[in-house]
Amino acid sequence: MKTFSLMAVGIGLAGVGLATLAAPNGERWFEDITQKADLSAPHTNRSFKNPYAHIMAGYTALGASVAVGDYDGDGYEDLFVTDSKEDGKNRLYRNNGNLTFTDVAAQAGVADGNDAQNASADALWFDADNDGMLDLLVVRFGHNQLFRNIGKGRFKNVTASSGLTRYANAIAAVAFDHDKDGDTDLFIGSYFQPVNIFQPETPRFFPESFETANNGGGVTVFRNDGNFKFTDITQQTGIDLKGWTLDLGHADADNDGDEDLYVAADFGTDRFFVNDGKGVFTDHTETAIGIDTKKGMNVEWQDYDNDGLFDIYVTNITDDYMREGNFLWHNNGDLTFTDISRETGTHNTGWGWCGKFFDYDNDGWLDLYVMNGWVSGNEQSYVPDIFEMIVRPGIDFADARNWPPMGAKSLSGYQKKRLFHNERGQMFKDEAARHGLDSMRDGRGIGVADFDHDGRLDLFVTNANAAPFFYRNLLPLDHHWASFILEGKISNRLAVGTRLLITAGDRTYHRYVNGGNGFASQSSYRVHIGLATHPTIDRLEVIWPTGTRQTFENLTADRIYRLVEGSAHPVPFVVKEEKK
């Protein structure tokens, strides 16, 4: 194995040195700059126009999502943000380089994602053809959309010839190279079964059970055949699910070089699948996590305790009538997991949605931000209506007519968000109020990235039927950091699935490139690492999806590095000057 000594190549701190920067409001480290950044356009829920509209509205208060990615290749992370109302416009926010953004969706050709028969639910940046430019999948109730990046800030709708035209009622998607053939494949999770929910021919399209429903949309796997062609290979992969999927997340659970899959399902058990290395999955749910009857909402993989194994955070529901609680699945290293959410203080976050690990203070320990709140309405509670339905003898839950209309009532609304500080892998302490991140809007997705290249991770938060939040991180710069942009050559171009082992001082941190984990969310493809007080990375080992290993030594901290598979030296990462 060769070892290279790298010259530090990257971006400085845009004029901000390592001297302590005074945070606003004393100890508050996040500033709400949504208005100043021109990101305040609200999300709007879909209103239905069918015989079951008064019932469906509450159960589809979804679709507020964000995907982070540098679509135009200028070095600055951009945002794709969905709306859900009929004729509502999706937004492509181009990063101007000065913490302001411009909506260019119409010019780019990606604004029109909502009509009478389709509602946007999620979005995913991925490089379908390995040309180095991010393509866009818009995930929708109805039919998905695939947009090819044709350069110069423009996209072409290639859905019709892609093989992705089926009616899906999709709500989540991730892209990773499950068969290690050098390109990323699509895993799409669907909520409702493939029936027209806008004009249903039958009223029997609701969950058949609160705990064991098996009449949902399940998971569909599409192999990437190149040239923007995809083939449904779900059966060949061994994944056979009909549950009410809400989220998908992938990582290499056993460090054997291939990506495994966790499926979070509403109204029934989550599922955990192990990859055999050739793209065939085996259901290990019963032995790995056990069979549950909860309402899985979110899948997030990271190594929160720095033991070299990727753990999983799944949100569920904790409320007056459902005391389920979240899962923090600690990876035991033998393809089994132990839930330690109670022990770590991450068990109860209300009606949970997205949860994302990120190191907001660069101390080397991954913190956790969690969205919550379903519907914030009037002072009346929807809980008694639910109880009345549940206890009614012989009720057919699948028949939408038997579900009570929510109207303007509240259910698990007005809940404060949670920002958990990682206390050295043992406990998590809620610091949301301290840092101004405890909004009570009905939160859904989280996009994490360093939008201004200052070494601190910022947050974009989506809210259902409300304006989003854009939080700038103003952490005092006492801690060091590094960020890595990876490019595959034999591996897929975005290097999804690549693992990084980063040693600084007496600790080694394990991170990886993921292809879109998190409910209604996609964060940056860049790998960010907090280094605490260490000004140097002593050793960096990169394990590419091909199995190729590269080792680099003595990297100066507080830089953004570009690493290309097989290259002995880093490619200089240069961004354009501030844009007008």
Side-chain angles (χ1 to χ4, degrees), residues 122-361:
D122 196 10
L124 180 74
W125 295 111
F126 75 116
D127 190 350
D129 56 349
N130 280 334
D131 67 350
M133 296 189 294
L134 291 179
D135 308 299
L136 178 66
L137 178 73
V138 180
V139 178
R140 303 195 297 179
F141 288 137
H143 299 89
N144 297 324
Q145 293 175 304
L146 179 63
F147 293 96
R148 179 178 186 174
N149 191 333
I150 57 176
K152 297 182 179 180
R154 297 283 300 170
F155 291 81
K156 179 181 178 181
N157 190 330
V158 295
T159 312
S161 60
S162 68
L164 302 175
T165 57
R166 68 178 55 188
Y167 201 96
N169 284 328
I171 197 169
V174 292
F176 62 94
D177 186 2
H178 83 290
D179 53 3
K180 297 198 290 187
D181 66 350
D183 52 27
T184 50
D185 311 293
L186 288 173
F187 288 67
I188 296 178
S190 295
Y191 195 63
F192 292 94
Q193 58 191 285
V195 300
N196 187 335
I197 62 172
F198 303 93
Q199 296 175 322
E201 297 179 355
T202 172
R204 301 195 75 255
F205 62 96
F206 262 41
E208 62 189 356
S209 166
F210 260 75
E211 297 179 335
T212 59
N214 201 37
N215 66 331
V219 176
T220 308
V221 183
F222 290 96
R223 184 186 63 222
N224 189 338
D225 295 327
N227 197 29
F228 290 89
K229 307 290 185 183
F230 294 83
T231 300
D232 181 354
I233 59 165
T234 309
Q235 292 301 314
Q236 296 96 300
T237 64
I239 296 174
D240 184 15
L241 295 178
K242 298 301 180 185
W244 290 71
T245 305
L246 272 176
D247 201 18
L248 307 170
H250 74 94
D252 186 353
D254 49 357
N255 289 340
D256 67 347
D258 51 56
E259 299 300 290
D260 308 302
L261 180 72
Y262 190 103
V263 181
D266 207 355
F267 304 109
T269 188
D270 294 349
R271 294 287 177 181
F272 173 63
F273 291 92
V274 176
N275 192 336
D276 70 351
K278 299 178 180 179
V280 177
F281 293 83
T282 303
D283 189 341
H284 280 234
T285 306
E286 195 161 359
T287 57
I289 60 175
I291 302 299
D292 75 80
T293 57
K294 295 188 177 183
K295 314 292 183 294
M297 308 285 191
N298 175 79
V299 185
E300 168 71 342
W301 290 80
Q302 282 293 356
D303 180 12
Y304 81 91
D305 57 351
N306 291 331
D307 68 351
L309 298 166
F310 294 118
D311 314 293
I312 315 169
Y313 189 71
V314 180
T315 56
N316 289 286
I317 300 171
T318 306
D319 206 336
D320 294 337
Y321 77 107
M322 280 191 284
R323 307 294 297 176
E324 294 182 343
N326 304 322
F327 293 123
L328 178 53
W329 291 116
H330 178 267
N331 190 333
N332 299 322
D334 58 359
L335 290 177
T336 69
F337 297 80
T338 301
D339 176 25
I340 58 170
S341 58
R342 282 185 170 85
E343 292 83 349
T344 56
T346 57
H347 177 73
N348 179 0
T349 58
W351 192 292
W353 295 105
C354 185
K356 290 296 295 182
F357 285 113
F358 75 117
D359 187 358
Y360 74 79
D361 57 354

Side-chain angles (χ1 to χ4, degrees), residues 8-25:
V9 178
I11 300 175
L13 295 180
V16 181
L18 281 176
T20 299
L21 179 68
N25 302 318

Side-chain angles (χ1 to χ4, degrees), residues 81-93:
V81 182
T82 56
D83 195 45
S84 301
K85 69 178 178 180
E86 185 175 343
D87 297 328
K89 300 300 183 182
N90 294 330
R91 296 175 172 87
L92 175 56
Y93 289 113

Side-chain angles (χ1 to χ4, degrees), residues 66 68 354-356 358 369-371 444-448 458-462 517-523:
V66 57
V68 176
C354 185
K356 290 296 295 182
F358 75 117
Y369 193 34
V370 185
M371 295 293 98
R444 293 295 182 265
I446 308 168
V448 183
D458 312 300
L459 299 168
F460 184 90
V461 173
T462 62
N517 296 350
F519 180 81
S521 306
Q522 179 181 28
S523 294

Side-chain angles (χ1 to χ4, degrees), residues 14-15 74-76 94-101 451-453 472 574-580:
D74 66 355
Y76 289 93
R94 181 172 178 261
N95 189 334
N96 297 322
N98 58 359
L99 287 178
T100 69
F101 294 76
F451 290 100
D452 55 351
H453 300 140
R472 182 186 184 188
V574 179
V575 298
K576 297 178 181 179
E577 295 181 2
E578 182 178 306
K579 296 169 285 184
K580 301 299 182 183

Side-chain angles (χ1 to χ4, degrees), residues 4-11 483-487 540 542 544 550-556 559-574:
F4 303 100
S5 179
L6 284 116
M7 182 180 300
V9 178
I11 300 175
S483 185
F484 300 94
I485 301 171
L486 289 93
E487 180 182 331
L540 168 65
V542 183
W544 300 90
Q550 291 179 270
T551 303
F552 310 102
E553 294 183 347
N554 300 320
L555 279 72
T556 302
R559 297 288 186 273
I560 300 176
Y561 291 93
R562 190 178 192 92
L563 301 175
V564 178
E565 183 177 14
S567 176
H569 302 285
V571 176
F573 179 67
V574 179

